[in-house]
Amino acid sequence: MNVVANYLNFIGGEWVSASSGETHEHFNPAKPSESIGFTTVSTVGDVEKAVEAAKSAAAGWKAMSSVNRGEILRKAADILEERADDIAKTATQEMGKRFIETKGEALRGASILRYYAQEGMRKKGEVLPSAANGTTLLAVRVPVGVVAAITPWNFPIAIPIWKIAPALVFGNPVVWKPGQETGITAAKVTKVFEDAGLPAGVLNLVLGRGSVVGDVLTTHKDVAAVTFTGSNAVGQNIAKLATEHGKKFQLELGGKNPAVVLEDANLDLAARLVVEGAMKQTGQRCTATSRAYVEASIYDEFVEKVIENAKQITIGDGLQDGITMGPVASKKQFDTVTGYIQKGKDEGAELLYGGSTLDIDGGYYIEPTIFGNATHEMTIVNEEIFGPVVALMKVADYNEALEKANNTIYGLSAAVFTDSLEKAFHFMENSEVGMVQINGETGGAEPQAPFGGTKASGQGPKEQGQSAAEFFTTNKTVTINPFTK
């Protein structure tokens, strides 16, 4: 692989150009005139070669002890830590997040690898009682087969690793299609696995356009399962195709995550975490706080504290020290987010803070944007924006807040800020989401805990933790009868 400027597919243990000969140039969203390299653009034929390589490697990888598979992940974790600065810098240059955020993501990836390395030492099944005397009855977990992992650009290190690591430790070969915007980062992450000693063909990287690669992976006869994180529209197409072709699928989709702020809350804490939840990673995460319901008695005071926190945000190139928010990832994302901000204004939401773009080296910079007095009829309250925008709404009491927080097609994450143990537990039980934060921001996940949403935010088994075994393995029942003449 040419590590200077041109990044290639990794198929069957070899770095190879796409058969098309086409390349995609990557530009820094903080300074779009700055080219940071090229990636190859895959064709259908390249994808088929990758699947063939994975299929050829499947038997040998399955036969390897899960303990030894885990050791390879442990080595990969060490290498990822050693290269964390380089990989994080590349991710920042590709999609704009601050270096401190991308480095944190790389270190989180190492933690995920170590967690799943330990999974290789856990039980693979269980012994069950049989009604027949002398019969041994087993339920054994076995690999599902070739896994297609289709991942987004917003977390180009952690999300791929939390799919790839469990797939590998449970004995499945993988074909990985990353977001085209972060293909260079993906190539460097793949090199980590190669250098950790992963056998040829066990992990294959195909770079290029999702519109070309995605459908082939989803429908290929030798792909057994598809794990996808991304937009709802693409996810629903994957679900349709996977169902038609008999594939197992796992979807992590969008979110419209609410925070509920009650009058007994610590308002300083709530204001800080609502702003952090909305503005971290420039709002480009599915768990970002995008709407907040605030009891009327504290609404004005809360608005003041939110604006104070927003004013502390410094905007610029994520590689610079002291910057607390970088650009959005691309011109396309810039146009999408600014379009939503204009729609918020047009539909009558009160612009409390921000809302403008900034001209810094031609980068895709948008101010942290806070709307007030929004209503549920407004687009900015209903649709995922994926940018640094949050809408604040006044409610009469907790019951109204809960009702409106649940009034969405999404169900990924939610937070409540309160000192009431009764309301905290009620919210935990009645919030229609997959993840609840009590006095915390809506984002955040740990490797040992299941990650995923309900309703339109996700389908299939949850990611991370031991829940991953539900997707990347299948149960095989084995009956061993007595040896009789």
Side-chain angles (χ1 to χ4, degrees):
M1 181 179 69
N2 182 349
V3 296
V4 177
N6 192 23
Y7 295 83
L8 311 178
N9 289 334
F10 187 65
I11 298 175
E14 300 290 336
W15 294 96
V16 292
S17 296
S19 57
S20 66
E22 183 184 355
T23 60
H24 173 76
E25 190 169 10
H26 295 246
F27 297 93
N28 186 345
K31 189 177 181 180
S33 61
E34 179 182 84
S35 174
I36 59 173
F38 295 82
T39 52
T40 197
V41 179
S42 298
T43 66
V44 170
D46 299 316
V47 178
E48 290 174 343
K49 289 177 182 176
V51 175
E52 182 181 345
K55 182 183 178 183
S56 296
W61 185 241
K62 178 182 177 181
M64 181 184 289
S65 162
S66 60
V67 175
N68 293 332
R69 294 195 296 256
E71 282 302 311
I72 294 175
L73 296 191
R74 202 182 317 278
K75 291 177 185 176
D78 293 341
I79 295 169
L80 180 58
E81 276 190 341
E82 292 168 5
R83 300 177 187 175
D85 283 0
D86 175 63
I87 293 174
K89 180 180 178 182
T90 299
T92 293
Q93 289 177 313
E94 281 199 288
M95 57 77 60
K97 274 196 311 197
R98 296 182 301 145
F99 175 77
I100 192 172
E101 292 170 334
T102 53
K103 181 163 183 186
E105 189 181 336
L107 297 177
R108 178 181 173 186
S111 295
I112 294 167
L113 286 165
R114 292 197 176 99
Y115 174 83
Y116 282 109
Q118 288 297 111
E119 283 295 297
M121 302 182 73
R122 292 186 182 273
K123 65 180 183 179
K124 295 173 62 176
E126 55 187 340
V127 180
L128 302 171
S130 172
N133 293 334
T135 293
T136 300
L137 186 61
L138 307 175
V140 182
R141 286 201 171 271
V142 297
V144 294
V146 176
V147 171
I150 304 174
T151 63
W153 49 261
N154 63 318
F155 280 86
I157 308 166
I159 288 179
I161 288 174
W162 85 40
K163 294 177 185 294
I164 293 168
L168 295 180
V169 82
F170 293 131
N172 306 282
V174 176
V175 178
W176 173 26
K177 162 61 182 79
Q180 187 173 34
E181 298 87 345
T182 49
I184 298 175
T185 303
K188 291 188 174 185
V189 170
T190 302
K191 191 72 167 66
V192 166
F193 285 98
E194 180 190 23
D195 292 347
L198 200 66
V202 172
L203 175 62
N204 303 274
L205 174 71
V206 286
L207 301 167
R209 301 181 184 91
S211 58
V212 174
V213 175
D215 285 0
V216 182
L217 281 174
T218 306
T219 60
H220 197 289
K221 64 181 179 62
D222 291 324
V223 170
V226 182
T227 175
F228 169 81
T229 298
S231 72
N232 283 67
V234 175
Q236 293 308 317
N237 183 58
I238 287 174
K240 177 178 179 291
L241 293 175
T243 300
E244 290 173 353
H245 289 80
K247 313 295 185 188
K248 198 173 186 180
F249 65 90
Q250 175 187 60
L251 307 178
E252 292 301 336
L253 307 173
K256 193 66 182 171
N257 312 295
V260 170
V261 184
L262 303 181
E263 60 183 2
D264 63 354
N266 179 328
L267 291 191
D268 290 325
L269 174 71
R272 176 172 63 82
L273 293 183
V274 165
V275 172
E276 288 184 9
M279 307 305 167
K280 277 182 179 178
Q281 286 92 27
T282 322
Q284 297 172 125
R285 52 181 181 158
C286 56
T287 55
T289 306
S290 59
R291 51 197 175 109
Y293 300 94
V294 186
E295 285 197 283
S297 60
I298 57 167
Y299 179 83
D300 291 339
E301 182 182 359
F302 182 74
V303 165
E304 290 179 6
K305 291 180 182 295
V306 165
I307 293 173
E308 287 173 9
N309 277 273
K311 287 180 178 178
Q312 304 306 309
I313 294 173
T314 56
I315 301 171
D317 187 335
L319 292 177
Q320 297 174 354
D321 292 335
I323 296 298
T324 54
M325 196 172 83
V328 294
S330 64
K331 179 64 163 58
K332 178 182 178 182
Q333 196 63 20
F334 178 85
D335 291 342
T336 296
V337 176
T338 54
Y340 275 113
I341 292 171
Q342 186 59 50
K343 190 163 288 189
K345 296 176 185 177
D346 293 343
E347 293 181 356
E350 180 185 1
L351 183 61
L352 299 173
Y353 184 81
S356 297
T357 61
L358 300 175
D359 186 7
I360 306 172
D361 293 326
Y364 305 127
Y365 294 101
I366 300 172
E367 288 182 321
T369 301
I370 301 164
F371 283 104
N373 293 321
T375 69
H376 264 267
E377 292 70 41
M378 294 179 180
T379 304
I380 59 170
V381 177
N382 286 287
E383 296 183 13
E384 186 178 37
I385 297 173
F386 228 62
V389 181
V390 64
L392 309 182
M393 286 162 279
K394 190 184 300 183
V395 293
D397 54 25
Y398 166 72
N399 290 330
E400 183 184 358
L402 177 63
E403 179 185 356
K404 289 186 173 178
N406 286 337
N407 185 16
T408 176
I409 64 169
Y410 296 107
L412 183 54
S413 181
V416 63
F417 294 90
T418 181
D419 280 345
S420 167
L421 192 61
E422 178 184 1
K423 288 177 181 175
F425 271 85
H426 187 274
F427 188 83
M428 178 184 71
E429 293 174 356
N430 293 282
S431 180
E432 296 171 357
V433 296
M435 298 178 290
V436 173
Q437 291 274 358
I438 309 297
N439 295 319
E441 60 134 308
T442 54
E446 297 189 45
Q448 69 275 20
F451 179 94
T454 62
K455 300 195 280 191
S457 289
Q459 294 181 46
K462 296 293 187 286
E463 297 192 288
Q464 298 202 99
Q466 293 184 44
S467 295
E470 296 176 24
F471 182 72
F472 293 108
T473 66
T474 186
N475 267 314
K476 177 181 287 187
T477 301
V478 179
T479 304
I480 305 174
N481 295 302
F483 295 99
T484 56
K485 294 182 179 178

